[in-house]
Amino acid sequence: KAGVTQTPRYLIKTRGQQVTLSCSPISGHRSVSWYQQTPGQGLQFLFEYFSETQRNKGNFPGRFSGRQFSNSRSEMNVSTLELGDSALYLCASSFQRGAANTGELFFGEGSRLTVL
Amino acid sequence: AQKVTQAQTEISVVEKEDVTLDCVYETRDTTYYLFWYKQPPSGELVFLIRRNSFDEQNEISGRYSWNFQKSTSSFNFTITASQVVDSAVYFCALSEANRDDKIIFGKGTRLHILP
């Protein structure tokens, strides 16, 4: 079956702009999590959505937001981009939510954002 | 607060050597889950193993083995007879089941297997 699909794979923006990233989970998966990966900070949890509701949120400013649609597809948005937002943004899906239920996240290949 | 430390930032070994990746975690919960993920150059993380806090049995899967020791809060990963295809970044992760279920990753260890 098809894996987690993230679009776009690469994008370049300038400071102050906004960006929307998309994630299509594996068919049947209802939980979608987003992570930011940078060389300095590693993988940092952004947020998790399940059944169109945000269930968890990491320690990121309000410029970072997301949503999930009824078909489980998810988008994340970053407004007023800063240079430090340059990163690989990874989306992961799972059938249930929570490590106690599955523990196995299926990751996409990520969207690499460069902010100039 | 939960925390995962992978002290080895980068390791290089020659093919066929054994290599161990260290992972030390911190948690106040008695129920928690530990994971290892592999990130090849393509970018997507690949799940390797999940272990709950009540199961300290070591696990072996082919050339991979994991040593979970609660006494030292460690969950180390050993690759036996390494191969070039094992080159990747490996992440250890932790989730506390009684809290918010977030899966928190360590900063990863970049493993180079030299031919």
Side-chain angles (χ1 to χ4, degrees):
Chain A
K1 56 184 175 182
V4 177
T5 303
Q6 292 188 245
T7 57
R9 290 291 315 280
Y10 303 91
L11 66 167
I12 299 174
K13 293 284 187 179
T14 57
R15 281 186 304 173
Q17 288 187 311
Q18 74 164 18
V19 65
T20 298
L21 310 177
S22 178
C23 172
S24 294
I26 290 174
S27 178
H29 284 192
R30 297 183 295 165
S31 173
V32 173
S33 299
W34 288 89
Y35 288 83
Q36 181 196 65
Q37 185 176 17
T38 59
Q41 299 299 318
L43 273 164
Q44 292 189 285
F45 174 80
L46 279 158
F47 25 64
E48 178 202 357
Y49 288 88
F50 184 81
S51 295
E52 301 178 65
T53 302
Q54 187 180 90
R55 303 292 178 146
N56 258 322
K57 191 175 191 307
N59 296 323
F60 279 82
R63 300 186 296 108
F64 292 80
S65 62
R67 58 178 174 169
Q68 186 180 34
F69 302 95
S70 58
N71 62 358
S72 294
R73 190 177 71 85
S74 177
E75 288 181 348
M76 67 162 283
N77 183 275
V78 187
S79 62
T80 319
L81 284 166
E82 301 177 359
L83 296 178
D85 296 333
S86 294
L88 179 67
Y89 289 88
L90 290 162
C91 166
S93 76
S94 61
F95 179 68
Q96 293 281 5
R97 65 174 303 268
N101 289 315
T102 67
E104 181 176 356
L105 300 178
F106 293 83
F107 282 82
E109 292 182 317
S111 293
R112 186 167 294 281
L113 169 65
T114 301
V115 181
L116 302 177
Chain B
Q2 59 187 101
K3 184 178 176 182
V4 178
T5 302
Q6 294 180 255
Q8 303 150 308
T9 306
E10 203 158 344
I11 300 175
S12 294
V13 300
V14 176
E15 198 174 17
K16 297 183 184 176
E17 287 185 352
D18 299 348
V19 58
T20 295
L21 309 182
D22 298 332
C23 173
V24 174
Y25 62 92
E26 292 178 32
T27 178
R28 296 178 183 175
D29 275 15
T30 56
T31 303
Y32 53 91
Y33 298 84
L34 296 164
F35 312 85
W36 276 94
Y37 280 81
K38 173 183 180 179
Q39 185 179 37
S42 55
E44 85 280 14
L45 275 77
V46 177
F47 170 85
L48 295 178
I49 189 172
R50 167 185 181 244
R51 174 68 77 206
N52 74 58
S53 53
F54 299 109
D55 182 4
E56 282 193 77
Q57 270 195 328
N58 291 332
E59 182 156 338
I60 298 174
S61 176
R63 296 183 297 105
Y64 295 171
S65 62
W66 290 270
N67 183 350
F68 176 29
Q69 291 195 341
K70 288 176 75 172
S71 59
T72 56
S73 297
S74 64
F75 187 43
N76 297 337
F77 172 32
T78 298
I79 301 174
T80 302
S82 60
Q83 299 175 3
V84 173
V85 293
D86 295 327
S87 297
V89 181
Y90 290 86
F91 291 92
C92 180
L94 164 71
S95 178
E96 295 169 322
N98 295 327
R99 295 184 189 273
D100 51 19
D101 265 341
K102 288 186 295 190
I103 298 178
I104 302 301
F105 288 82
K107 293 199 173 181
T109 296
R110 184 175 295 277
L111 178 62
H112 301 279
I113 308 298
L114 308 172

